[in-house]
Amino acid sequence: MTVIDISPSVMQFLLAFIVVAPLLGAAAALLPAPPGLKGKNPDQAVLRHGVTVTGAVLIAAIVLAVGFDHDHPATMQATTDISWIPALDVRIHLGIDGISLPLLVLTALLTFLCALYSYFKLPAGPSPKAFVALVLVLESGTLATFAVLDLLLFFLAFEMVLIPMYFLIARWGGDQRQAAAWKFILYTLLGSVVMLLGLLLIGLKSGTFDMVALATDNGRGLTTSVQVIAVLAIGLGLAVKTPMWPLHSWLPDAHTAAPTVGSVLLAGVLLKMGTYGFVRILLPVAPDGMHTFAPYLGAFAVVGIVYGSLACLALARTGAKGDLKRLIAYSSVGHMGFVLLGIATMTPTGVNGALFANIAHGLITGLLFFLVGAIKDRYGTADLDTLAGATGAALYGRAPRLGALLAFAAVASLGLPGLAGFWGEMLTLFGAYSPAEGLSRSAFRTFMAIGAFGTLLTAAYMLIVVRRVCMGEHAPHSRLSPDEPASRPADDPVPSGPAGVRTATTPQLADIQTYEAAAWTPLAALTVLAGLWPAVLLGLTDPAVQKLLAGGKS
């Protein structure tokens, strides 16, 4: 039931404002002085401008969610439909339903939190004006991807985010940032070229680029061979962005090199654009083609789950000299594998699980990257051996609240019941147990078993991370903490006490700061809320998924 009755025209304005406002804000950020805002210096003023614009977009997204008709989440709402290129029948068609609304709000929230965090902790790099402008363009492109209902507009929005993310990595990133940025842009651009060909094929063969009309037609206007070719082409571009194994190799490098907020946005929202395309375009528009490729998609998904987990285990093990940020990046390969497995089942249970896992991953992994960035700022490194170091370097002893929040995010990521990460993975595995009619039950039950094994591997590497970083357990050949001398005289013993417990000689670190708490608390709170009350999300997505899989029929 609608909580607040908002007129359709106001809803239309809110959705258009959400998409366009960040773009206008990016242009204003490049002016000599952002209008209406002052600070101690121009840099502070433009950072305050970024917080203001992203905050206004978040408020608009919340009002849009409040005004959304929750009794009819399968119906496109706040729609705008204006002819743009008549010769190609391309229209500026916007709208949201229960599938896109959660992703829209998640994007607005994460971008605002990144802008707020950057106001206090701006990454080292060129002009803050360019940084704020790039973040706002990135937000506009991501929001447009989840709001547009025309295939060509979807492609334009999908591509709009590439250049801002490239520069965020290349100009504000860390070591090896140029190579990582080039790898990111080349992989995604090559995938997008193939995807465009598939989108054009659908539009030309069906006579329309309208995603609502195509979903309602449910592939009846396309031959099976056309659907197969379209799914192969479009799916390749979406799989690169997701990323699906073995097209994932750009992701660990990009995350390792990116600044903290770049990693949060990349993991929290950009990866969701790929899986959203599978659900919004391929499942309803080319169901026969998806049916053909579903077993292969499921197989690649479970390989990604196991591969990502084993890579994380290799990085997490004692003495492996692994980078904590790189480990979290590899964990995304595994988590997004669950999302792809849910989509491959082509069932309401599996697709709902995929959509839930999408949101959960955005909340939890966004929080993890924030925390890893803070740890790297304090220690000067994200190297696991250095972080584990000696007992006195453990987070529980030096920054207990930071250590506790890292442990919370880790157990949420491994799928602890009662937190958001649990429901998506469970529903995905249930969907794999009973896939859509015509799909091999034995194959998908094998995928289910492999996926369940992957959850055990996830628990293993996350608990190792907590043990090493928070409790300070290490092997004799691990490198010492930066605060620990390479050798000690006999009369200067290592501080005694259980792992993670501060002693009189343990150097302290700054614990969670006020601005960090402001940026991280919403993610932790929503992780608990979604875990304890999954109906908040499932009540939105399930009717929309049921309609989508039925070919647009209620």
Side-chain angles (χ1 to χ4, degrees), residues 27-97:
L30 297 175
L31 296 175
L37 292 173
K38 294 181 179 180
K40 296 178 181 178
N41 52 61
D43 289 351
Q44 187 186 60
V46 75
L47 292 171
R48 189 173 294 174
H49 170 75
V51 174
T52 302
V53 173
T54 56
V57 171
L58 176 59
I59 291 171
I62 293 172
V63 174
L64 188 71
V66 169
F68 187 81
D69 185 355
H70 292 260
D71 283 340
H72 302 92
T75 303
M76 284 295 172
Q77 301 179 35
T79 56
T80 299
D81 192 1
I82 303 171
S83 178
W84 184 35
I85 307 176
L88 296 177
D89 194 28
V90 177
R91 310 182 68 81
I92 299 177
H93 192 181
L94 305 177
I96 53 168
D97 63 358

